[in-house]
Amino acid sequence: MKKFLLVLSFFLIVSVLAQSLEDLEKSWLELLQRVVREPDSDELVELGRKLSAKRRLAQLETLKDSVLEENLDKFVANLSEMSETRDDLLDECFVLFPKLKADVASFERGDNSKLNSVCALWKLGYKPVVPQGFAAWLVQTFLSDPFLIDWNLVFFLKNSSNKDVIAKQIRQECEKLKDKEKDYPALYRLMVLAKQLDGADSQLESELSRYIELMTSLERYSSERLSNEEFEKFSRALNNLNLKKDNLKAILSHLAERSGIQDAVMRELGNDRSNLQRVVARWKFRVDLMILVVSAFFVTLFLLPRKLKISFFAFFKAYRIAIWLCQKELSKDPTDIRLRTQLAMFYERIGENEKAFQQYKIVRDLSRMVKKDRILPRA
């Protein structure tokens, strides 16, 4: 009984004192001395495993506070923001936070609600076995939550043991939705993700890429007039696109009508006049609504501090404006790692993956300059 009380009192002392790395080291030395005196104590061994895990995890600056406090929610949040990786600390993580080990088991059994808890564990060495049905859930969820796919999820899936299977299933799910024109930008991002996982090209990805490029090109003419040659070029591109394109036709017809070539629109696009007029009317309404939204954005642009503006525009999915603001802020402090990570994520969300990976490489190099023992994932 006396021995048990001594162990219990020592455990309490460790819990109270280990609020800094110095206290942690002191507690560790005291524990080693007690183990020498009581080598057969199972309680001390168990306590030693936890204290050892705490010591190793606390060496990571981003995680230090949450580890010392043993705060699971804070640990998950900080790990998600952490830029460095260590592939030898997963066991320590499970020793200190056993709930995470249970969450991993639940996720691999198909409980996708645990994704947020386990998504960043790849940074500590977790190589997930992604469960059957995850791809279908990912596609459907991403259509309503464009923030779901971030750099953590990309590398989480790239580190999975069955990433080729997941890539194939993502493509299959996207094929089922290829008639949903409003979802094409999201489907294209999903197809790019599939290619990031297995490196394979696909016809649907190619067609979606052409659709996005054509839509972007048409949007550039929102305040300009189309020439006949430009109209014919766009008409040919539309005819060669093997996807639904009602929205693109509506945009083109609106631009052509404003440019005084409405008759050519009817001839080239071959739409029934009344149907086309209804589509154009809907498009005009969207343009008016867009003007109101953009006006609100620009008013906000002059009222908020720049870093708050970035969060504001990101919340409203105005990623190009957020990117521009990030670049302006980085011109003052090019070494801001957190801001560069945000910029990379914004590039990912608009499908400019090369620029995103370039920013991640810069983050990696900056991190190495700050702490030579930090290693970022290779893009």
Side-chain angles (χ1 to χ4, degrees), residues 153-179:
L153 182 57
V154 171
F155 282 104
F156 175 80
L157 294 176
K158 286 179 73 172
N159 279 274
S160 65
S161 58
N162 55 339
K163 62 182 180 180
D164 290 350
V165 174
I166 298 303
K168 180 179 178 181
Q169 291 174 349
I170 288 174
R171 292 192 182 95
Q172 291 171 345
E173 293 299 322
C174 289
E175 286 283 350
K176 297 176 185 177
L177 300 170
K178 66 181 180 181
D179 291 332

Side-chain angles (χ1 to χ4, degrees), residues 38-254:
E38 303 176 42
D40 298 327
S41 172
D42 293 336
E43 291 86 355
L44 287 179
V45 170
E46 185 62 29
L47 180 59
R49 288 181 68 243
K50 184 172 182 179
L51 196 53
S52 174
K54 204 169 185 179
R55 284 179 73 237
R56 296 197 68 201
L57 288 169
Q59 299 302 317
L60 296 170
E61 185 64 30
T62 308
L63 304 179
K64 182 176 68 175
D65 291 342
S66 60
V67 167
L68 293 174
E69 297 168 13
E70 297 186 29
N71 185 324
L72 176 58
D73 291 338
K74 187 175 179 180
F75 178 83
V76 170
N78 290 346
L79 183 61
S80 175
E81 296 292 330
M82 189 174 76
S83 56
E84 65 266 44
T85 61
R86 287 282 301 273
D87 60 4
D88 59 340
L89 292 177
L90 187 63
D91 288 341
E92 284 78 359
C93 173
F94 290 159
V95 167
L96 191 61
F97 299 110
K99 185 179 183 302
L100 282 179
K101 187 172 185 178
D103 287 348
V104 164
S106 296
F107 172 76
E108 294 189 352
R109 287 195 300 267
D111 184 357
N112 295 318
S113 69
K114 303 299 182 183
L115 179 63
N116 287 338
S117 296
V118 305
C119 190
L121 288 177
W122 63 273
K123 298 175 185 178
L124 301 181
Y126 175 42
K127 298 194 178 299
V129 179
V130 180
Q132 183 72 21
F134 177 82
W137 174 85
L138 175 67
V139 171
Q140 291 300 325
T141 306
F142 181 64
L143 293 179
S144 59
D145 179 11
F147 289 95
L148 178 65
I149 297 180
D150 59 9
W151 75 293
N152 269 313
L153 182 57
V154 171
F155 282 104
F156 175 80
L157 294 176
K158 286 179 73 172
N159 279 274
S160 65
S161 58
N162 55 339
K163 62 182 180 180
D164 290 350
V165 174
I166 298 303
K168 180 179 178 181
Q169 291 174 349
I170 288 174
R171 292 192 182 95
Q172 291 171 345
E173 293 299 322
C174 289
E175 286 283 350
K176 297 176 185 177
L177 300 170
K178 66 181 180 181
D179 291 332
K180 305 288 186 182
E181 188 176 359
K182 67 180 179 63
D183 293 330
Y184 283 173
L187 293 180
Y188 176 64
R189 179 66 186 91
L190 288 161
M191 295 298 288
V192 169
L193 173 60
K195 186 173 181 177
Q196 288 175 306
L197 297 183
D198 65 3
D201 295 313
S202 71
Q203 181 64 29
L204 180 57
E205 181 200 346
S206 176
E207 290 291 330
L208 288 169
S209 177
R210 289 170 56 203
Y211 180 99
I212 300 298
E213 289 174 5
L214 189 52
M215 181 175 65
T216 303
S217 298
L218 285 170
E219 287 175 346
R220 290 179 185 149
Y221 285 88
S222 59
S223 59
E224 301 176 20
R225 293 177 66 86
L226 278 177
S227 67
N228 288 328
E229 292 76 12
E230 289 166 335
F231 170 76
E232 290 173 2
K233 180 190 72 174
F234 283 126
S235 295
R236 286 194 298 271
L238 275 177
N239 290 334
N240 292 330
L241 191 63
N242 298 317
L243 290 173
K244 285 193 68 175
K245 45 206 169 189
D246 292 344
N247 289 344
L248 295 184
K249 287 181 179 180
I251 298 172
L252 180 56
S253 63
H254 174 63

